[in-house]
Amino acid sequence: LVSPPLMQVLCTPMHLLSLSLINDPSATAAARIAKLKLATPAALLARSLRMLPAYGVGGILNSTLVARGRAMARARALPTVGGGG
């Protein structure tokens, strides 16, 4: 739940830097760093929050659904013993 958003602390600045290198090849290093300081907090927040539904709610819901599915499969594949006859 915490790991993917925390990875954005490393990935977002690298991503923004690469975009700066491609979109403004003549910018100086000081100009790039100044733009990174301005853009990183908002981009980091947006990219981290975007992952919460997938890795947070989605991961928990997936675990619950898988557990229920396995329980149903076991119940069908292994009938109760001593049922009659």
Side-chain angles (χ1 to χ4, degrees):
L1 184 63
V2 177
S3 180
L6 277 180
M7 281 301 297
Q8 292 305 313
V9 173
L10 297 174
C11 295
T12 299
M14 288 191 296
H15 184 239
L16 293 174
L17 179 61
S18 64
L19 287 173
S20 175
L21 290 168
I22 290 170
N23 292 329
D24 194 6
S26 62
T28 64
R32 289 188 205 286
I33 290 173
K35 284 183 181 179
L36 275 176
K37 285 182 181 179
L38 287 175
T40 298
L44 181 61
L45 181 65
R47 289 172 62 126
S48 296
L49 289 177
R50 183 186 68 173
M51 292 184 170
L52 284 178
Y55 290 99
V57 176
I60 293 167
L61 182 62
N62 185 46
S63 297
T64 303
L65 292 175
V66 167
R68 284 187 189 172
R70 286 184 179 156
M72 287 173 46
R74 279 190 206 107
R76 288 186 183 177
L78 302 172
T80 58
V81 178

